[in-house]
Amino acid sequence: VIKCKAAVAWEAGKPLSIEEVEVAPPKAHEVRIKIIATAVCHTDAYTLSGADPEGCFPVILGHEGAGIVESVGEGVTKVKKGDTVIPLYIPQCGECKFCKNPKTNLCQKIRITQGKGVMPDGTSRFTCKGKQIYHFMGTSTFSEYTVVADISVAKIDAAAPLDKVCLLGCGISTGYGAAVNTAKVEPGSTCAVFGLGGVGLAVIMGCKIAGASRIIGIDINKDKYAKAKEFGATECISPQDSKKPIQEVLAEMTDGGVDYSFECIGNVAVMRAALEACHKGWGVSVIVGVAAAGQEIATRPFQLVTGRTWKGTAFGGWKSVDNVPKLVTEYMSKKIKVDEFVTHTLPFDKINEAFELMHSGK
């Protein structure tokens, strides 16, 4: 058993608490990882807020991490002690019907136990003050050591800077993949990206790499426009600057609507606007943002009858074990940006400040 520091969420709506936790050794087909760097994501905040129907407490959150394998359990063959890895919240077992289908990346092998906050055998590897602590998204990167299933880990280039590539564990991969895998953005096309946070910027990057000729960024926070343009947005607009609905503004700007739109916020009203901003006959809108529990989307069926397509994406459609190492290689060869997504680097005990910075849009 390893004793180390972790940021524990004891209950919903309260700040994280830095505690000493005990991390049990990995069982069969499990890997214990020393986490070197972790990022914070809105998904962590969503669960911490209490709005997540799958949220269990007390829990160690975090799902954008990178580290070094400390030890492996029986039967683990893909990684060994000392390997540099990224934990994966969407695993890839290679055996389930989802993994065998090229149309999806949604491996279901450990979905049920992962959703309940436990390892595949139904138990936790974390204890604190004599209490069992739940796992989160199969990763729990807000701990100096964590244990994950062996299908939930990608071995990456040992030369990669872990304080940067940890972001490939969720946000950047999600946005980039939404553009290149889910929407399959074509050269010369026009795109609209709703929400210019980390995921939205990654979508913009993907649209640019795919050869889009016009990329319109949409956000009510104008402080985000300069960064969006750095990533490839050709222009940025705020829905608050017009009395007309944003979908009408976009239709006027683009002679009938955009070829591709992306919702990167998790707001069901914006999801509708993003679909309706698409061009009749061929427009494709991709939902990337995660809405709160119980919310539903609406539009007039005629929007779809007249040739628009509504799609969703999780982790950008990447089959995780296969593709995360390739994304790291793309970053190392400067095909994709990663460093530019990092605004602040804080010590682990300032993790609550990191959440405050995220909520304030900084």
Side-chain angles (χ1 to χ4, degrees), residues 333-347:
S333 63
K334 297 193 161 50
K335 185 188 170 188
I336 60 171
K337 291 179 171 21
V338 173
D339 297 11
E340 294 81 354
F341 286 89
V342 179
T343 57
H344 297 75
T345 302
L346 300 165

Side-chain angles (χ1 to χ4, degrees), residues 189-212:
S189 57
T190 299
C191 303
V193 180
F194 292 77
L196 302 176
V199 173
L201 294 177
V203 171
I204 289 171
M205 176 175 77
C207 292
K208 185 180 179 183
I209 289 170

Side-chain angles (χ1 to χ4, degrees), residues 211-356:
S213 60
R214 195 171 175 193
I215 303 166
I216 304 164
I218 301 134
D219 203 300
I220 55 176
N221 181 352
K222 296 188 176 179
D223 294 342
K224 301 201 169 209
Y225 293 178
K227 198 80 165 169
K229 287 177 178 169
E230 189 188 316
F231 276 87
T234 51
E235 62 226 277
C236 294
I237 58 173
S238 168
Q240 295 174 340
D241 286 349
S242 172
K243 292 201 169 79
K244 292 179 181 169
I246 188 70
Q247 50 267 57
E248 286 182 30
V249 174
L250 285 161
E252 284 173 15
M253 286 172 67
T254 58
D255 186 27
V258 298
D259 302 312
Y260 302 97
S261 70
F262 301 86
E263 199 279 352
C264 307
I265 302 162
N267 178 317
V268 292
V270 179
M271 291 174 188
R272 177 175 190 159
L275 175 80
E276 294 176 359
C278 282
H279 202 288
K280 187 189 283 189
W282 62 75
V284 174
S285 187
V286 180
I287 293 173
V288 193
V290 177
Q295 297 199 324
E296 297 184 353
I297 49 174
T299 190
R300 294 199 173 130
F302 196 67
Q303 294 284 340
L304 300 172
V305 170
T306 50
R308 294 170 192 82
T309 303
W310 221 342
K311 301 180 89 165
T313 189
F315 196 54
W318 302 107
K319 294 217 185 239
S320 58
V321 174
D322 290 346
N323 287 294
V324 168
K326 292 177 184 168
L327 290 166
V328 170
T329 302
E330 286 194 4
Y331 157 64
M332 300 289 277
S333 63
K334 297 193 161 50
K335 185 188 170 188
I336 60 171
K337 291 179 171 21
V338 173
D339 297 11
E340 294 81 354
F341 286 89
V342 179
T343 57
H344 297 75
T345 302
L346 300 165
F348 186 37
D349 56 9
K350 298 269 176 72
I351 191 162
N352 287 307
E353 285 181 31
F355 277 93
E356 286 163 21

Side-chain angles (χ1 to χ4, degrees), residues 4-335:
C4 68
K5 282 197 301 187
V8 177
W10 288 106
E11 55 183 300
K14 295 279 170 70
L16 302 178
S17 176
I18 301 290
E19 306 279 4
E20 184 180 78
V21 298
E22 294 86 41
V23 185
K27 295 188 183 178
H29 294 289
E30 295 176 3
V31 179
R32 187 160 61 181
I33 302 166
K34 180 179 185 180
I35 297 289
I36 305 297
T38 185
V40 296
C41 173
H42 276 284
T43 310
D44 304 306
Y46 167 65
T47 298
L48 185 59
S49 74
D52 182 355
E54 274 196 351
C56 329
F57 295 89
V59 64
I60 295 172
L61 298 170
H63 63 284
E64 292 186 332
I68 309 292
V69 174
E70 178 274 333
S71 59
V72 298
E74 197 185 325
V76 174
T77 56
K78 298 270 172 68
V79 294
K80 63 183 184 306
K81 182 178 176 172
D83 283 350
T84 304
V85 294
I86 290 177
L88 307 167
Y89 72 90
I90 293 183
Q92 186 186 350
C93 71
E95 295 163 0
C96 70
K97 72 177 184 181
F98 288 79
C99 281
K100 287 180 173 171
N101 190 322
K103 294 178 181 174
T104 185
N105 62 331
L106 297 175
C107 174
Q108 296 296 295
K109 182 80 176 272
I110 59 173
R111 177 73 198 95
I112 290 167
T113 49
Q114 182 171 314
K116 289 178 178 165
V118 290
M119 294 300 289
D121 72 346
T123 63
S124 169
R125 300 292 163 268
F126 298 120
T127 47
C128 181
K129 298 177 181 171
K131 289 187 179 149
Q132 173 184 288
I133 308 289
Y134 287 109
H135 294 250
F136 176 66
M137 289 175 77
T139 53
S140 290
T141 61
F142 293 173
S143 174
E144 292 178 323
Y145 287 86
T146 189
V147 179
V148 305
D150 63 353
I151 58 172
S152 303
V153 63
K155 181 182 170 180
I156 62 161
D157 184 341
L162 301 187
D163 60 331
K164 305 294 192 293
V165 296
C166 61
L167 292 170
L168 293 169
C170 176
I172 298 177
S173 304
T174 297
Y176 177 44
V180 300
N181 297 330
T182 310
K184 295 185 169 61
V185 170
E186 295 170 318
S189 57
T190 299
C191 303
V193 180
F194 292 77
L196 302 176
V199 173
L201 294 177
V203 171
I204 289 171
M205 176 175 77
C207 292
K208 185 180 179 183
I209 289 170
S213 60
R214 195 171 175 193
I215 303 166
I216 304 164
I218 301 134
D219 203 300
I220 55 176
N221 181 352
K222 296 188 176 179
D223 294 342
K224 301 201 169 209
Y225 293 178
K227 198 80 165 169
K229 287 177 178 169
E230 189 188 316
F231 276 87
T234 51
E235 62 226 277
C236 294
I237 58 173
S238 168
Q240 295 174 340
D241 286 349
S242 172
K243 292 201 169 79
K244 292 179 181 169
I246 188 70
Q247 50 267 57
E248 286 182 30
V249 174
L250 285 161
E252 284 173 15
M253 286 172 67
T254 58
D255 186 27
V258 298
D259 302 312
Y260 302 97
S261 70
F262 301 86
E263 199 279 352
C264 307
I265 302 162
N267 178 317
V268 292
V270 179
M271 291 174 188
R272 177 175 190 159
L275 175 80
E276 294 176 359
C278 282
H279 202 288
K280 187 189 283 189
W282 62 75
V284 174
S285 187
V286 180
I287 293 173
V288 193
V290 177
Q295 297 199 324
E296 297 184 353
I297 49 174
T299 190
R300 294 199 173 130
F302 196 67
Q303 294 284 340
L304 300 172
V305 170
T306 50
R308 294 170 192 82
T309 303
W310 221 342
K311 301 180 89 165
T313 189
F315 196 54
W318 302 107
K319 294 217 185 239
S320 58
V321 174
D322 290 346
N323 287 294
V324 168
K326 292 177 184 168
L327 290 166
V328 170
T329 302
E330 286 194 4
Y331 157 64
M332 300 289 277
S333 63
K334 297 193 161 50
K335 185 188 170 188

